[in-house]
Amino acid sequence: MDLQARYRVPALTGLLTVVSLALVFGAVLGAIPQSALPAAPASVLGAIPHANAVVSALAIGTIVGGIRAIRRGNVARHRKLMLSSFGLFALFLVLYLYRITLVGPTDFAGPSVVETYFYLPFLAIHILLAIIAIPAVYYVLLLAYTYPVSELPSTNHPPAGKLAASLWLISFSMGIAVYAMLYLVW
């Protein structure tokens, strides 16, 4: 365990959060130049939202599995599943940032009344939960990395982990609903 990092978990959480959110907002707001990334065929760019929906569904499965594992006392399985969840989240984020930088956000094609009174508020809640989930997930993972398993119950890992997993599950689920509204329904 890295003792230096153990005493800097909040600062490291903040640093990772700022970097992650800067990348996301930079991509969404067009601050990352398209020339900074290799080009991809339109078919690949078009497949990314569908791939990300699958990645999100897999992440929901690994998070639920990780929750079940820890409730049963299977720490090793919990760790593997939660690290898998984080890997899926990282894959989702890389694909999302790549596509959003090259293509930009997808416009809502449904009726304007649905967009105004349902889609945009729903999307705003999804985005807010995702923003809140990012530092919660980093915090929990950093605690798990910097403390031995035997000490984790006496840290904030259990309560923060419940919060992070809940936010993650809701955010991934809402993300799939946003995907459905953008690509399946309208």
Side-chain angles (χ1 to χ4, degrees), residues 123-150:
L123 180 63
I125 293 167
H126 165 63
I127 291 168
L128 179 63
L129 288 175
I131 289 169
I132 296 168
I134 289 172
V137 168
Y138 283 144
Y139 180 70
V140 170
L141 287 173
L142 286 167
L143 286 174
Y145 171 72
T146 59
Y147 283 86
V149 170
S150 62

PDB file of all heavy atoms in Angstrom, residues 123-150:
ATOM      1  N   LEU A 123     -31.851  14.570 -19.022  1.00  0.00           N
ATOM      2  CA  LEU A 123     -30.434  14.645 -19.364  1.00  0.00           C
ATOM      3  C   LEU A 123     -29.659  15.440 -18.317  1.00  0.00           C
ATOM      4  O   LEU A 123     -28.548  15.055 -17.922  1.00  0.00           O
ATOM      5  CB  LEU A 123     -30.262  15.276 -20.747  1.00  0.00           C
ATOM      6  CG  LEU A 123     -28.831  15.428 -21.257  1.00  0.00           C
ATOM      7  CD1 LEU A 123     -28.158  14.063 -21.419  1.00  0.00           C
ATOM      8  CD2 LEU A 123     -28.826  16.197 -22.581  1.00  0.00           C
ATOM      9  N   ALA A 124     -30.237  16.525 -17.842  1.00  0.00           N
ATOM     10  CA  ALA A 124     -29.564  17.345 -16.826  1.00  0.00           C
ATOM     11  C   ALA A 124     -29.338  16.551 -15.537  1.00  0.00           C
ATOM     12  O   ALA A 124     -28.254  16.631 -14.930  1.00  0.00           O
ATOM     13  CB  ALA A 124     -30.385  18.606 -16.540  1.00  0.00           C
ATOM     14  N   ILE A 125     -30.333  15.771 -15.134  1.00  0.00           N
ATOM     15  CA  ILE A 125     -30.187  14.942 -13.928  1.00  0.00           C
ATOM     16  C   ILE A 125     -29.112  13.887 -14.158  1.00  0.00           C
ATOM     17  O   ILE A 125     -28.272  13.636 -13.284  1.00  0.00           O
ATOM     18  CB  ILE A 125     -31.539  14.319 -13.532  1.00  0.00           C
ATOM     19  CG1 ILE A 125     -32.499  15.412 -13.073  1.00  0.00           C
ATOM     20  CG2 ILE A 125     -31.356  13.269 -12.440  1.00  0.00           C
ATOM     21  CD1 ILE A 125     -33.951  14.961 -12.953  1.00  0.00           C
ATOM     22  N   HIS A 126     -29.130  13.266 -15.332  1.00  0.00           N
ATOM     23  CA  HIS A 126     -28.110  12.260 -15.667  1.00  0.00           C
ATOM     24  C   HIS A 126     -26.709  12.872 -15.597  1.00  0.00           C
ATOM     25  O   HIS A 126     -25.800  12.293 -14.998  1.00  0.00           O
ATOM     26  CB  HIS A 126     -28.384  11.703 -17.063  1.00  0.00           C
ATOM     27  CG  HIS A 126     -27.243  10.954 -17.658  1.00  0.00           C
ATOM     28  ND1 HIS A 126     -26.732   9.802 -17.107  1.00  0.00           N
ATOM     29  CD2 HIS A 126     -26.487  11.200 -18.769  1.00  0.00           C
ATOM     30  CE1 HIS A 126     -25.720   9.373 -17.851  1.00  0.00           C
ATOM     31  NE2 HIS A 126     -25.554  10.220 -18.854  1.00  0.00           N
ATOM     32  N   ILE A 127     -26.541  14.033 -16.187  1.00  0.00           N
ATOM     33  CA  ILE A 127     -25.234  14.698 -16.188  1.00  0.00           C
ATOM     34  C   ILE A 127     -24.810  15.059 -14.765  1.00  0.00           C
ATOM     35  O   ILE A 127     -23.662  14.838 -14.362  1.00  0.00           O
ATOM     36  CB  ILE A 127     -25.255  15.940 -17.107  1.00  0.00           C
ATOM     37  CG1 ILE A 127     -25.377  15.511 -18.567  1.00  0.00           C
ATOM     38  CG2 ILE A 127     -24.023  16.807 -16.894  1.00  0.00           C
ATOM     39  CD1 ILE A 127     -25.690  16.647 -19.523  1.00  0.00           C
ATOM     40  N   LEU A 128     -25.729  15.614 -13.991  1.00  0.00           N
ATOM     41  CA  LEU A 128     -25.414  15.968 -12.610  1.00  0.00           C
ATOM     42  C   LEU A 128     -24.998  14.745 -11.793  1.00  0.00           C
ATOM     43  O   LEU A 128     -23.994  14.785 -11.066  1.00  0.00           O
ATOM     44  CB  LEU A 128     -26.618  16.665 -11.954  1.00  0.00           C
ATOM     45  CG  LEU A 128     -26.436  17.078 -10.508  1.00  0.00           C
ATOM     46  CD1 LEU A 128     -25.325  18.113 -10.379  1.00  0.00           C
ATOM     47  CD2 LEU A 128     -27.735  17.629  -9.943  1.00  0.00           C
ATOM     48  N   LEU A 129     -25.732  13.647 -11.923  1.00  0.00           N
ATOM     49  CA  LEU A 129     -25.369  12.433 -11.192  1.00  0.00           C
ATOM     50  C   LEU A 129     -24.017  11.888 -11.648  1.00  0.00           C
ATOM     51  O   LEU A 129     -23.230  11.416 -10.821  1.00  0.00           O
ATOM     52  CB  LEU A 129     -26.453  11.368 -11.361  1.00  0.00           C
ATOM     53  CG  LEU A 129     -27.751  11.639 -10.623  1.00  0.00           C
ATOM     54  CD1 LEU A 129     -28.789  10.578 -10.968  1.00  0.00           C
ATOM     55  CD2 LEU A 129     -27.531  11.702  -9.123  1.00  0.00           C
ATOM     56  N   ALA A 130     -23.748  11.970 -12.943  1.00  0.00           N
ATOM     57  CA  ALA A 130     -22.449  11.518 -13.446  1.00  0.00           C
ATOM     58  C   ALA A 130     -21.315  12.376 -12.874  1.00  0.00           C
ATOM     59  O   ALA A 130     -20.268  11.848 -12.492  1.00  0.00           O
ATOM     60  CB  ALA A 130     -22.436  11.548 -14.972  1.00  0.00           C
ATOM     61  N   ILE A 131     -21.545  13.681 -12.810  1.00  0.00           N
ATOM     62  CA  ILE A 131     -20.534  14.587 -12.255  1.00  0.00           C
ATOM     63  C   ILE A 131     -20.280  14.285 -10.782  1.00  0.00           C
ATOM     64  O   ILE A 131     -19.137  14.271 -10.322  1.00  0.00           O
ATOM     65  CB  ILE A 131     -20.950  16.061 -12.465  1.00  0.00           C
ATOM     66  CG1 ILE A 131     -20.843  16.426 -13.947  1.00  0.00           C
ATOM     67  CG2 ILE A 131     -20.107  17.008 -11.607  1.00  0.00           C
ATOM     68  CD1 ILE A 131     -21.471  17.766 -14.301  1.00  0.00           C
ATOM     69  N   ILE A 132     -21.335  14.009 -10.042  1.00  0.00           N
ATOM     70  CA  ILE A 132     -21.197  13.680  -8.618  1.00  0.00           C
ATOM     71  C   ILE A 132     -20.566  12.308  -8.432  1.00  0.00           C
ATOM     72  O   ILE A 132     -19.789  12.090  -7.499  1.00  0.00           O
ATOM     73  CB  ILE A 132     -22.569  13.757  -7.909  1.00  0.00           C
ATOM     74  CG1 ILE A 132     -23.098  15.193  -7.932  1.00  0.00           C
ATOM     75  CG2 ILE A 132     -22.474  13.250  -6.472  1.00  0.00           C
ATOM     76  CD1 ILE A 132     -24.551  15.320  -7.512  1.00  0.00           C
ATOM     77  N   ALA A 133     -20.881  11.378  -9.329  1.00  0.00           N
ATOM     78  CA  ALA A 133     -20.361  10.010  -9.205  1.00  0.00           C
ATOM     79  C   ALA A 133     -18.849   9.961  -9.407  1.00  0.00           C
ATOM     80  O   ALA A 133     -18.168   9.147  -8.773  1.00  0.00           O
ATOM     81  CB  ALA A 133     -21.052   9.085 -10.204  1.00  0.00           C
ATOM     82  N   ILE A 134     -18.322  10.804 -10.265  1.00  0.00           N
ATOM     83  CA  ILE A 134     -16.893  10.734 -10.594  1.00  0.00           C
ATOM     84  C   ILE A 134     -16.014  10.864  -9.344  1.00  0.00           C
ATOM     85  O   ILE A 134     -15.192   9.982  -9.080  1.00  0.00           O
ATOM     86  CB  ILE A 134     -16.523  11.755 -11.688  1.00  0.00           C
ATOM     87  CG1 ILE A 134     -17.106  11.297 -13.022  1.00  0.00           C
ATOM     88  CG2 ILE A 134     -15.010  11.942 -11.796  1.00  0.00           C
ATOM     89  CD1 ILE A 134     -16.986  12.306 -14.139  1.00  0.00           C
ATOM     90  N   PRO A 135     -16.149  11.902  -8.528  1.00  0.00           N
ATOM     91  CA  PRO A 135     -15.278  11.953  -7.349  1.00  0.00           C
ATOM     92  C   PRO A 135     -15.600  10.855  -6.337  1.00  0.00           C
ATOM     93  O   PRO A 135     -14.688  10.364  -5.653  1.00  0.00           O
ATOM     94  CB  PRO A 135     -15.539  13.343  -6.763  1.00  0.00           C
ATOM     95  CG  PRO A 135     -16.843  13.785  -7.332  1.00  0.00           C
ATOM     96  CD  PRO A 135     -16.955  13.109  -8.663  1.00  0.00           C
ATOM     97  N   ALA A 136     -16.863  10.456  -6.248  1.00  0.00           N
ATOM     98  CA  ALA A 136     -17.211   9.384  -5.309  1.00  0.00           C
ATOM     99  C   ALA A 136     -16.506   8.088  -5.699  1.00  0.00           C
ATOM    100  O   ALA A 136     -15.956   7.374  -4.845  1.00  0.00           O
ATOM    101  CB  ALA A 136     -18.729   9.187  -5.273  1.00  0.00           C
ATOM    102  N   VAL A 137     -16.503   7.773  -6.981  1.00  0.00           N
ATOM    103  CA  VAL A 137     -15.849   6.552  -7.461  1.00  0.00           C
ATOM    104  C   VAL A 137     -14.333   6.641  -7.249  1.00  0.00           C
ATOM    105  O   VAL A 137     -13.719   5.693  -6.753  1.00  0.00           O
ATOM    106  CB  VAL A 137     -16.195   6.304  -8.946  1.00  0.00           C
ATOM    107  CG1 VAL A 137     -15.307   5.229  -9.551  1.00  0.00           C
ATOM    108  CG2 VAL A 137     -17.666   5.931  -9.086  1.00  0.00           C
ATOM    109  N   TYR A 138     -13.733   7.764  -7.614  1.00  0.00           N
ATOM    110  CA  TYR A 138     -12.290   7.916  -7.398  1.00  0.00           C
ATOM    111  C   TYR A 138     -11.941   7.773  -5.913  1.00  0.00           C
ATOM    112  O   TYR A 138     -10.967   7.106  -5.563  1.00  0.00           O
ATOM    113  CB  TYR A 138     -11.795   9.272  -7.905  1.00  0.00           C
ATOM    114  CG  TYR A 138     -11.650   9.373  -9.396  1.00  0.00           C
ATOM    115  CD1 TYR A 138     -11.950  10.554 -10.059  1.00  0.00           C
ATOM    116  CD2 TYR A 138     -11.187   8.309 -10.157  1.00  0.00           C
ATOM    117  CE1 TYR A 138     -11.805  10.676 -11.434  1.00  0.00           C
ATOM    118  CE2 TYR A 138     -11.037   8.414 -11.531  1.00  0.00           C
ATOM    119  CZ  TYR A 138     -11.354   9.595 -12.158  1.00  0.00           C
ATOM    120  OH  TYR A 138     -11.200   9.712 -13.515  1.00  0.00           O
ATOM    121  N   TYR A 139     -12.716   8.391  -5.058  1.00  0.00           N
ATOM    122  CA  TYR A 139     -12.453   8.348  -3.618  1.00  0.00           C
ATOM    123  C   TYR A 139     -12.468   6.908  -3.107  1.00  0.00           C
ATOM    124  O   TYR A 139     -11.554   6.463  -2.409  1.00  0.00           O
ATOM    125  CB  TYR A 139     -13.479   9.217  -2.886  1.00  0.00           C
ATOM    126  CG  TYR A 139     -13.310   9.267  -1.394  1.00  0.00           C
ATOM    127  CD1 TYR A 139     -12.241   9.935  -0.817  1.00  0.00           C
ATOM    128  CD2 TYR A 139     -14.230   8.648  -0.561  1.00  0.00           C
ATOM    129  CE1 TYR A 139     -12.088   9.988   0.558  1.00  0.00           C
ATOM    130  CE2 TYR A 139     -14.094   8.698   0.817  1.00  0.00           C
ATOM    131  CZ  TYR A 139     -13.017   9.369   1.376  1.00  0.00           C
ATOM    132  OH  TYR A 139     -12.863   9.411   2.727  1.00  0.00           O
ATOM    133  N   VAL A 140     -13.496   6.169  -3.467  1.00  0.00           N
ATOM    134  CA  VAL A 140     -13.629   4.789  -3.008  1.00  0.00           C
ATOM    135  C   VAL A 140     -12.490   3.922  -3.549  1.00  0.00           C
ATOM    136  O   VAL A 140     -11.916   3.111  -2.821  1.00  0.00           O
ATOM    137  CB  VAL A 140     -15.011   4.226  -3.419  1.00  0.00           C
ATOM    138  CG1 VAL A 140     -15.098   2.739  -3.186  1.00  0.00           C
ATOM    139  CG2 VAL A 140     -16.114   4.947  -2.658  1.00  0.00           C
ATOM    140  N   LEU A 141     -12.166   4.101  -4.821  1.00  0.00           N
ATOM    141  CA  LEU A 141     -11.080   3.309  -5.404  1.00  0.00           C
ATOM    142  C   LEU A 141      -9.728   3.649  -4.770  1.00  0.00           C
ATOM    143  O   LEU A 141      -8.913   2.756  -4.527  1.00  0.00           O
ATOM    144  CB  LEU A 141     -11.009   3.526  -6.914  1.00  0.00           C
ATOM    145  CG  LEU A 141     -12.123   2.871  -7.723  1.00  0.00           C
ATOM    146  CD1 LEU A 141     -12.036   3.294  -9.185  1.00  0.00           C
ATOM    147  CD2 LEU A 141     -12.077   1.360  -7.600  1.00  0.00           C
ATOM    148  N   LEU A 142      -9.504   4.917  -4.510  1.00  0.00           N
ATOM    149  CA  LEU A 142      -8.240   5.307  -3.867  1.00  0.00           C
ATOM    150  C   LEU A 142      -8.143   4.764  -2.443  1.00  0.00           C
ATOM    151  O   LEU A 142      -7.059   4.337  -2.018  1.00  0.00           O
ATOM    152  CB  LEU A 142      -8.081   6.828  -3.880  1.00  0.00           C
ATOM    153  CG  LEU A 142      -7.722   7.419  -5.237  1.00  0.00           C
ATOM    154  CD1 LEU A 142      -7.903   8.932  -5.233  1.00  0.00           C
ATOM    155  CD2 LEU A 142      -6.304   7.040  -5.645  1.00  0.00           C
ATOM    156  N   LEU A 143      -9.261   4.767  -1.724  1.00  0.00           N
ATOM    157  CA  LEU A 143      -9.247   4.153  -0.387  1.00  0.00           C
ATOM    158  C   LEU A 143      -8.918   2.671  -0.496  1.00  0.00           C
ATOM    159  O   LEU A 143      -8.111   2.139   0.277  1.00  0.00           O
ATOM    160  CB  LEU A 143     -10.594   4.345   0.320  1.00  0.00           C
ATOM    161  CG  LEU A 143     -10.893   5.742   0.848  1.00  0.00           C
ATOM    162  CD1 LEU A 143     -12.321   5.809   1.380  1.00  0.00           C
ATOM    163  CD2 LEU A 143      -9.900   6.144   1.936  1.00  0.00           C
ATOM    164  N   ALA A 144      -9.549   1.987  -1.447  1.00  0.00           N
ATOM    165  CA  ALA A 144      -9.309   0.556  -1.622  1.00  0.00           C
ATOM    166  C   ALA A 144      -7.861   0.272  -2.013  1.00  0.00           C
ATOM    167  O   ALA A 144      -7.291  -0.744  -1.613  1.00  0.00           O
ATOM    168  CB  ALA A 144     -10.265  -0.014  -2.670  1.00  0.00           C
ATOM    169  N   TYR A 145      -7.269   1.173  -2.780  1.00  0.00           N
ATOM    170  CA  TYR A 145      -5.883   0.990  -3.212  1.00  0.00           C
ATOM    171  C   TYR A 145      -4.887   1.266  -2.086  1.00  0.00           C
ATOM    172  O   TYR A 145      -3.864   0.589  -1.981  1.00  0.00           O
ATOM    173  CB  TYR A 145      -5.584   1.916  -4.399  1.00  0.00           C
ATOM    174  CG  TYR A 145      -4.128   1.945  -4.775  1.00  0.00           C
ATOM    175  CD1 TYR A 145      -3.527   0.861  -5.397  1.00  0.00           C
ATOM    176  CD2 TYR A 145      -3.339   3.062  -4.492  1.00  0.00           C
ATOM    177  CE1 TYR A 145      -2.176   0.878  -5.731  1.00  0.00           C
ATOM    178  CE2 TYR A 145      -1.995   3.092  -4.818  1.00  0.00           C
ATOM    179  CZ  TYR A 145      -1.420   2.004  -5.438  1.00  0.00           C
ATOM    180  OH  TYR A 145      -0.085   2.027  -5.759  1.00  0.00           O
ATOM    181  N   THR A 146      -5.180   2.238  -1.241  1.00  0.00           N
ATOM    182  CA  THR A 146      -4.187   2.691  -0.256  1.00  0.00           C
ATOM    183  C   THR A 146      -4.307   2.037   1.115  1.00  0.00           C
ATOM    184  O   THR A 146      -3.452   2.261   1.968  1.00  0.00           O
ATOM    185  CB  THR A 146      -4.261   4.223  -0.088  1.00  0.00           C
ATOM    186  OG1 THR A 146      -5.570   4.587   0.347  1.00  0.00           O
ATOM    187  CG2 THR A 146      -3.919   4.935  -1.388  1.00  0.00           C
ATOM    188  N   TYR A 147      -5.352   1.263   1.345  1.00  0.00           N
ATOM    189  CA  TYR A 147      -5.513   0.583   2.628  1.00  0.00           C
ATOM    190  C   TYR A 147      -5.553  -0.920   2.424  1.00  0.00           C
ATOM    191  O   TYR A 147      -6.114  -1.400   1.434  1.00  0.00           O
ATOM    192  CB  TYR A 147      -6.824   1.013   3.313  1.00  0.00           C
ATOM    193  CG  TYR A 147      -6.769   2.364   3.966  1.00  0.00           C
ATOM    194  CD1 TYR A 147      -7.020   3.516   3.233  1.00  0.00           C
ATOM    195  CD2 TYR A 147      -6.464   2.493   5.314  1.00  0.00           C
ATOM    196  CE1 TYR A 147      -6.967   4.769   3.821  1.00  0.00           C
ATOM    197  CE2 TYR A 147      -6.416   3.740   5.918  1.00  0.00           C
ATOM    198  CZ  TYR A 147      -6.668   4.874   5.165  1.00  0.00           C
ATOM    199  OH  TYR A 147      -6.608   6.120   5.750  1.00  0.00           O
ATOM    200  N   PRO A 148      -5.018  -1.666   3.373  1.00  0.00           N
ATOM    201  CA  PRO A 148      -5.182  -3.120   3.294  1.00  0.00           C
ATOM    202  C   PRO A 148      -6.668  -3.472   3.499  1.00  0.00           C
ATOM    203  O   PRO A 148      -7.403  -2.733   4.171  1.00  0.00           O
ATOM    204  CB  PRO A 148      -4.341  -3.663   4.442  1.00  0.00           C
ATOM    205  CG  PRO A 148      -3.762  -2.510   5.155  1.00  0.00           C
ATOM    206  CD  PRO A 148      -4.214  -1.248   4.494  1.00  0.00           C
ATOM    207  N   VAL A 149      -7.079  -4.573   2.943  1.00  0.00           N
ATOM    208  CA  VAL A 149      -8.484  -4.999   3.029  1.00  0.00           C
ATOM    209  C   VAL A 149      -8.944  -5.054   4.483  1.00  0.00           C
ATOM    210  O   VAL A 149     -10.068  -4.656   4.798  1.00  0.00           O
ATOM    211  CB  VAL A 149      -8.680  -6.369   2.336  1.00  0.00           C
ATOM    212  CG1 VAL A 149     -10.056  -6.934   2.612  1.00  0.00           C
ATOM    213  CG2 VAL A 149      -8.424  -6.241   0.851  1.00  0.00           C
ATOM    214  N   SER A 150      -8.081  -5.481   5.370  1.00  0.00           N
ATOM    215  CA  SER A 150      -8.464  -5.612   6.786  1.00  0.00           C
ATOM    216  C   SER A 150      -8.801  -4.265   7.433  1.00  0.00           C
ATOM    217  O   SER A 150      -9.561  -4.216   8.391  1.00  0.00           O
ATOM    218  CB  SER A 150      -7.347  -6.293   7.577  1.00  0.00           C
ATOM    219  OG  SER A 150      -6.162  -5.505   7.526  1.00  0.00           O
TER     220      SER A 150
END
